[in-house]
Amino acid sequence: MELYDVLVIGAGVGGLACGARLSRLGYKVAVFDHHYAAGGYATNFKRKEYTFDVALHGVGGLGAGQSFHRILDACGAADRMIPLPKEHPYSIQTLQQRIDIPKQATEYKQLLIRMFPDEKSGIDSLFAAIYRLHEEMSFLQDPDVPGWKKGALFPLRCRLLMKWSGLTTEQVVRQYVKSDAFFNFFTALWGYYGLPPSRLSSLYFFIPWTGYHIEGTYYIKGGAQAFSDALVSVIEEHGGKVMLRREVTEILLDNKKAYGIRIKDGTEYRGKWVVSNASPAHTLGNLIREHECGMRYRKKLLTKRIGPSLTQLYIGLSCHPEVLGIDAEDLLFLEEQDHAKDYENCMHGLYDKANFGLTNYSKMDAALNAYERGVITATLIDDIRNWPEEKEAYRWKKKEVTDIFLDRLDGYYPGLREKVVITELGTPRTMMRYTKNPEGAVYGFAQTVAQSGIKRTSSRTPISCLSLVGAWTQPGGGFQGAATSGFMEAERIHRRLQ
Ligand SMILES: Cc1cc2nc3c(=O)[nH]c(=O)nc-3n(C[C@H](O)[C@H](O)[C@H](O)COP(=O)(O)OP(=O)(O)OC[C@H]3O[C@@H](n4cnc5c(N)ncnc54)[C@H](O)[C@@H]3O)c2cc1C
C-alpha cells in the first residue's frame, strides 16, 4: 500500500489548487482522477486538427498582485501560465446593435449614462456602492491582514458585503435604478453564473463583476488545459503524483476518520488526510457507506438545490472567424430581453428561442489553432432533463440541437454553415459523464441567496480528516471560486497537520 500525506479525489480546479498549495507547503500529495485529462471541466480536447477548450471563456483578477493571481501565486502556478487580457469583458448583440462593454468600470459607467441618461444619479450610486464592495473584498483578501483581525473587523469593515449577502442581484440593482431596460442590459451576464438575477445571490454577480471591470478580464494562453497543467506541474515537481484514469470507488474510514482510498482495480492508498473534489452527492452517496456518515449531514447535503448545467456547441471552421464577420471575443445574443423568461426558455429546452453566447477562441488565443482553422463555441444554460437517456433518442436530439445552433449562427453570419468542418455538442449529460457532477452541474449547488456566502456548504465534513473542495463548496463555482476553495482548505489542513 502506497503512503502519501494527502490523497485528493478529483483533478478538477479545486482538487489541483488544494494539491498544489499543499505540495508547496511540503506535503506528499497524490491526486486521482477517472478521466484521461487533468482539470475536470478545465481541460482541452482535440478533434481532427482542432483544439477545443472545454470551459474557459474568461476569468478576472489574473494581473500581477490581483485577487486570483495571488491565489495561484501561493499555489506556485501563477508564473507557469500566461494571462491574455481580453479587449472587452464581453459584448452584447441585440436585434438592433452590438455593444462592446468597456474594460474600465469608469468607461462602462459613462456608456450606461449615455444609454440611460434619466438614470444617471442611480447609476452613479450603484457604481459607488460597487467600488465600496470591492474595497471590502480587498480587505478580506489582503494576505498581510491576519485571519483573526479580519474576523474581528468584519462587521465594521464589510457592512455592504453583509447586507448584500442577503439579497438577490435584482434586489440590489433595483435599489439604485428602477428602469427595466437598464436592469436587463446591466445584468445580461447572468448566464455566466447560472441563475437569473431574480434568483442569483448578489455576491455571485457583483464579486466576479469587480474582478471583470476593476481588475480586468483574461483568457489563458493554451486554454483551460494550460491552467490545469500548470497546477499539475507544481504537484509533480514537489514529488507528488497526478494519476489519471484512476477512479476512486471508496474512501476508507476507521471510526469516522478517513485514512485512505480504494481505486477501481482494488489498489489502496493511505494518507493522513483525504480531500474530495468530487461532488458532495458522489462523495457521501457513493464513496462512503451510509452508516459511516452522519445521517443528518448527509440528508442536508443531498436535499440542497443543484445548479444548472450548460450545453455548448464546439465548432471548427475552415476559415478564421473574422472572415465571417465574427470579431468579438465573447458575444451575448440578447434576443429575449426578459431574463426570467429566458431562464425558463433554457430550462424547457427551447433551443430556437433561448439566448446564447458565442465565444471566439481564435481571437482570444491566436496560437491555440492555426489561423485558417477557426474555433468558436455557442453556449447556453441547460437542464439535464431536456436530454433523453436512451442512446438513439439522445443522438437524434444532439443532431437536432446542433442544427438549430448552426441555423441561428448562420442567420447572424451568412455563409457560416458552409465553413463548418467539425462540430461536437457537449450537453449536460456530457458534463455529467466526464466529471460525475450530478445533473452535469457546472457551478455546484445553485448560487441562490440561501446557498451562498457563509451559507454555502463548508469544506469541513463530520468525518475526521475528510474535506470537500471545488465549486460545490465555499466560496462557489467558476475557476476562481473552485481554486479559492482548494487553496483555503489546503491552509486549514496544513494548520491541522502541523
Ligand atoms: C462549458 C463551460 C464553460 C465554463 N466557463 C467558465 C468560465 O468562462 N469561467 C469560469 O470561471 N468558469 C467557467 N465554467 C465553470 C468552471 O469550469 C467550473 O465551475 C470549475 O471548473 C469547477 O471546478 P471543480 O473544482 O468543482 O471541479 P470539476 O471540474 O467538477 O472536477 C471534478 C473532478 O473530479 C473527478 N472525479 C469525480 N469523481 C471521481 C472519482 N470517484 N474518482 C476519480 N475522480 C473523480 C472528475 O473526473 C473531475 O475531474 C465553465 C464550465 C463549463 C462546463
Side-chain angles (χ1 to χ4, degrees), residues 123-141:
I123 295 170
D124 280 335
S125 312
L126 175 62
F127 272 69
I130 297 173
Y131 279 117
R132 242 180 10 255
L133 182 81
H134 183 59
E135 271 171 39
E136 296 185 1
M137 283 305 299
S138 305
F139 164 71
L140 286 181
Q141 289 163 347

Side-chain angles (χ1 to χ4, degrees), residues 339-360:
H339 301 323
K341 201 161 163 203
D342 185 43
Y343 176 71
E344 291 308 317
N345 288 344
C346 294
M347 290 295 106
H348 290 104
L350 304 180
Y351 302 101
D352 53 341
K353 286 200 177 72
N355 291 337
F356 67 99
L358 183 154
T359 302
N360 180 353

